């Protein structure tokens, strides 16, 4: 993974901000303090001075010998006090209220904030690189910046410059998600700074996409605009380094598809440095196939044969570089009993063996597991002995109506395999038999230990009973509204349903 080389940018009282031409650093941007920056010649076209008081450009700045960050916090506090005073003055006052206090005096000249920065973006970036430009508490995804630059019709360097300015304004207390007036205020300040720096760029309003394409309608009929939220979140470091996410009933909707908004949220999280880890009852090929529809599988996606993940209810765990670090099989006698039951009662059953599926006879429900749920197409075996003699079975799955499972299958098997295996129900029309003490959470814990991940770094999203332990392991467990009552009872947060882009909502609301 390639990153832009960077360091926190010191700010000093009365130190100038100059932007020399991009440095010839391959795939890198260098941020430098005032003392480290080389002197500029008058011919430098990008040279400029940023003064938070006057925002006036000059070509011959003088460097003060003040230590880094001197006066920075005082300047921010002074600016925020002024902004709060201006906002309070605009609010209508009750007739019988006391007269408003006099506005605070302007900040002294000593609190002017100026800084030096050098930004260079190499155009020939690696295709598979995840590149982040980090400036203190501002994090800019070059991948996202490149996409926005293309949409706006500007260069990548111009877009990065705009995001740097906008990020600083956000840290100074300017926000645009509260009202249209706030949008205009931020846009005005942004354009003022860009003009002063002689930087080109399109801001929130000039560079915005068609608002109608950015609106989403929730299940209760409310229309929201995702542009404000997405733009804002880009500037701040995520709260979690890892998101463990379930598939069926969570990332996938009721049609077993990933929606465009969920896919975009995963890309946004990855572009911010968040690792997405799939933890599911599915086989790994099923996850790769389901996410390939949104171009999220393979080497550059979130799941591949070389990525970590938890599959088959935690019975198969893959670690670094996709190496298998854990596997557990179902007792062969339990497998035999389940296969015999399937034959005698003509209830379709699928046996899972790593990346392969097996069944005793053809059935439309068995085919649906492949065509709808993306699982490997089941191979019909000639006999039970042949299957058990040639494959290790991690779990078996019965396919039946929800009523048939709740009234007959689940009570029967919960008693028949007590102490030898365990029943799991992730979907209303599916019942799984797995080894005892099996849980998706156990697989997640094994992977966390393998990758040296602490719980405070993890957010988990799920819906089924098999997600309970996983949600409890995470620092923040999110259960979707369509989930089981038992799962929602242990979750920290209840999100939207899987048909209302619950994963995207959880990421935008809680991960950043």
């Amino acid at each position: 993974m390639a990153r832009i080389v960077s360091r926190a940018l010191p700010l000093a009282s009365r130190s100038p901000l100059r932007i020399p031409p991009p440095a010839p650093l391959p795939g890198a941007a260098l941020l430098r303090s005032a003392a480290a920056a080389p002197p500029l010649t008058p011919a430098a076209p990008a040279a400029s001075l940023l003064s938070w008081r006057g925002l006036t450009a000059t070509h011959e700045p003088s460097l003060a010998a003040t230590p880094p960050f001197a006066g920075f916090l005082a300047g921010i506090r002074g600016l925020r006090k002024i902004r709060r005073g201006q906002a309070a003055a605009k609010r209508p006052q009750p007739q019988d209220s006391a007269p408003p206090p006099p506005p605070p005096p302007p900040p002294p000249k000593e609190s002017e904030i100026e800084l030096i920065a050098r930004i260079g973006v190499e155009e020939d970036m690696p295709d598979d690189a995840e590149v982040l430009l980090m400036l203190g508490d501002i994090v800019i995804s070059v991948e996202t910046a490149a996409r926005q630059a293309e949409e706006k019709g500007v260069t990548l360097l111009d877009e990065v410059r705009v995001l740097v300015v906008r990020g600083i304004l956000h840290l100074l207390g300017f926000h645009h998600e509260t009202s249209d007036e706030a949008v205009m205020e931020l846009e005005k300040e942004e354009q003022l700074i860009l003009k002063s720096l002689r930087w080109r760029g399109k801001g929130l309003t000039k560079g915005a996409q068609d608002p109608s394409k950015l609106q989403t309608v929730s299940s209760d009929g409310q229309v929201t605009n995702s542009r404000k939220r997405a733009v804002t979140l880009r500037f701040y470091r995520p709260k979690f380094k890892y998101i463990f996410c379930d598939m069926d009933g969570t990332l996938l909707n009721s049609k077993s598809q990933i929606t465009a908004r969920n896919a975009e949220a995963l890309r946004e999280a990855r572009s911010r440095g968040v690792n997405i880890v799939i933890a599911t009852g599915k086989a790994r090929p099923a996850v790769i196939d389901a996410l390939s529809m949104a171009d999220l599988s393979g080497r550059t996606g979130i799941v591949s044969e070389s990525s970590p993940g938890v599959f088959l209810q935690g019975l198969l765990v893959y670690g670094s570089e996709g190496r298998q670090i854990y596997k557990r099989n179902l007792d062969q006698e339990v497998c035999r009993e389940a296969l015999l039951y399937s034959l005698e009662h003509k209830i379709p059953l699928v046996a899972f063996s790593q990346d392969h599926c097996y069944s005793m006879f053809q059935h439309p429900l068995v085919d649906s597991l492949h065509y709808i749920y993306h699982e490997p197409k089941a191979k019909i075996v000639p006999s039970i002995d042949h299957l058990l003699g040639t494959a290790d079975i991690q779990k078996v799955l019965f396919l039946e109506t929800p009523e048939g499972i709740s009234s007959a299958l689940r009570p029967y098997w919960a008693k028949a395999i007590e102490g030898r295996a365990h029943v799991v129900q992730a979907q209303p029309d599916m019942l799984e038999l797995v080894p005892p003490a099996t849980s998706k959470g156990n697989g997640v814990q094994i992977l966390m230990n393998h990758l040296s991940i602490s719980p405070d770094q993890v957010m988990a999203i799920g819906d089924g009973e098999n997600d309970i332990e996983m949600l409890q392991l995470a620092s923040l467990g999110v259960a979707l509204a369509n989930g089981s009552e038992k799962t929602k009872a242990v979750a920290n947060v209840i999100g939207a349903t899987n048909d209302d882009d619950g994963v995207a909502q959880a990421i935008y609301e809680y991960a950043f």
Side-chain angles (χ1 to χ4, degrees):
M1 178 175 69
R3 285 183 182 272
I4 285 185
V5 180
S6 61
R7 52 187 171 145
L9 186 64
L11 293 103
S13 176
R14 308 183 68 83
S15 302
L17 169 60
R18 299 181 293 178
I19 309 298
L25 297 174
L30 177 62
L31 307 180
R32 308 185 68 174
S33 67
L40 293 175
T41 62
S48 59
L49 171 69
L50 169 61
S51 165
W52 290 109
R53 181 169 65 104
L55 296 172
T56 54
T58 178
H59 297 286
E60 297 181 356
S62 59
L63 298 180
T66 53
F69 294 100
F72 176 57
L73 294 178
I76 292 180
R77 286 194 295 268
L79 181 58
R80 285 178 173 168
K81 286 180 180 178
I82 292 174
R83 292 295 174 191
R84 284 196 293 267
Q86 292 173 346
K90 292 179 181 179
R91 290 195 292 268
Q93 300 291 333
Q95 297 296 329
D96 56 349
S97 63
K109 293 183 179 180
E110 286 74 12
S111 65
E112 294 178 6
I113 300 173
E114 300 163 351
L115 51 88
I116 285 179
R118 172 178 289 177
I119 300 173
V121 179
E122 178 66 38
E123 293 184 0
D124 188 19
M125 301 296 291
D127 292 337
D128 61 346
E130 178 185 350
V131 187
L132 300 178
L133 171 62
M134 306 183 74
L135 170 61
D137 286 333
I138 303 171
V139 180
I140 297 173
S141 161
V142 176
E143 178 185 353
T144 303
R147 185 172 65 251
Q148 293 183 175
E150 183 179 357
E151 293 170 353
K152 296 179 180 180
V154 300
T155 67
L156 174 58
L157 182 57
D158 285 339
E159 180 63 13
V160 170
R161 287 169 168 173
V162 170
L163 293 176
V164 169
V165 171
R166 196 177 302 159
I168 292 173
L169 286 173
H170 274 266
L171 293 178
L172 289 174
F174 291 87
H175 297 286
H176 62 276
E177 65 275 351
T178 55
S179 65
D180 291 338
E181 182 181 351
V183 173
M184 294 177 64
E185 182 183 25
L186 179 59
E187 174 74 10
K188 179 181 177 181
E189 298 288 343
E190 180 182 302
Q191 291 301 313
L192 184 62
I193 296 175
L194 290 172
K195 183 178 179 180
S196 174
L197 293 174
R198 298 182 181 179
W199 283 356
R200 294 178 301 172
K202 296 182 179 181
L204 285 174
T205 56
K206 295 181 180 179
Q209 304 176 34
D210 181 0
S212 63
K213 296 179 181 180
L214 295 164
Q215 290 181 343
T216 57
V217 182
S218 61
S219 58
D220 58 3
Q222 293 183 340
V223 178
T224 58
N225 192 313
S226 61
R227 170 172 58 85
K228 295 178 182 179
R229 174 184 297 167
V231 173
T232 302
L233 295 175
R234 190 166 299 112
F235 301 118
Y236 304 101
R237 287 178 177 162
K239 298 176 183 176
F240 305 99
K241 289 186 177 181
Y242 291 85
I243 295 177
F244 283 79
C245 188
D246 173 48
M247 288 289 290
D248 289 319
T250 303
L251 184 57
L252 304 182
N253 61 16
S254 57
K255 296 179 180 179
S256 200
Q257 299 171 346
I258 181 170
T259 64
R261 187 163 180 253
N262 276 351
E264 184 60 30
L266 294 182
R267 292 190 186 95
E268 182 68 22
R270 288 189 72 239
S271 74
R272 297 286 311 283
V274 180
N275 298 282
I276 308 296
V277 181
I278 297 299
T280 179
K282 288 179 171 295
R284 184 169 64 176
V287 178
I288 293 174
D289 183 63
L291 297 187
S292 68
M293 308 299 178
D295 198 25
L296 286 172
S297 62
R299 268 288 186 178
T300 59
I302 65 172
V303 63
S304 70
E305 293 182 354
S306 301
S307 61
V310 178
F311 304 94
L312 299 182
Q313 307 296 5
L315 297 170
L316 274 177
V317 182
Y318 298 95
S320 300
E321 299 301 318
R323 179 171 56 89
Q324 180 180 299
I325 60 174
Y326 180 79
K327 183 178 81 168
R328 189 177 181 190
N329 299 330
L330 184 63
D331 180 78
Q332 279 212 344
E333 286 306 310
V334 173
C335 291
R336 185 181 298 278
E337 292 172 25
L339 292 166
L340 283 170
Y341 188 95
S342 171
L343 285 172
E344 292 173 2
H345 295 83
K346 298 302 178 184
I347 296 177
L349 175 144
V350 175
F352 287 76
S353 177
Q354 288 195 268
D355 294 345
H356 303 282
C357 290
Y358 302 94
S359 188
M360 299 303 300
F361 53 85
Q362 294 280 2
H363 194 280
L365 290 179
V366 173
D367 293 336
S368 73
L369 206 61
H370 171 66
Y371 292 110
I372 297 178
Y373 294 98
H374 310 279
E375 297 289 1
K377 188 171 178 59
K379 302 172 184 177
I380 306 302
V381 294
S383 68
I384 295 176
D385 289 336
H386 175 81
L387 174 59
L388 298 181
T390 57
D392 292 330
I393 306 301
Q394 283 81 55
K395 71 171 187 176
V396 295
L397 182 150
F398 285 102
L399 297 156
E400 178 63 290
T401 63
E403 295 76 15
I405 288 178
S406 60
S407 63
L409 279 181
R410 183 159 187 164
Y412 173 83
W413 284 106
K415 183 177 181 180
I417 59 175
E418 186 175 5
R420 299 182 297 149
H422 180 58
V423 295
V424 173
Q425 191 167 2
Q427 297 292 316
D429 55 353
M430 301 178 189
L431 185 73
E432 303 176 41
L433 309 186
V434 299
T438 293
S439 75
K440 192 185 297 184
N442 181 60
V444 170
Q445 183 67 73
I446 291 170
L447 183 56
M448 288 173 62
N449 294 340
H450 171 75
L451 298 176
S452 300
I453 302 171
S454 60
D456 63 295
Q457 297 175 308
V458 176
M459 168 180 168
I461 313 173
D463 74 301
E465 292 182 20
N466 59 332
D467 295 316
I468 289 176
E469 292 85 355
M470 179 177 74
L471 299 190
Q472 291 174 322
L473 274 174
S475 174
L476 181 73
V478 181
L480 298 196
N482 57 283
S484 72
E485 294 304 317
K486 291 182 180 179
T487 308
K488 290 188 282 189
V490 304
N492 302 109
V493 174
I494 308 299
T497 70
N498 63 323
D499 286 329
D500 290 324
D501 304 311
V503 167
Q505 184 209 49
I507 290 175
Y508 287 130
E509 291 287 341
Y510 307 111
F512 300 148

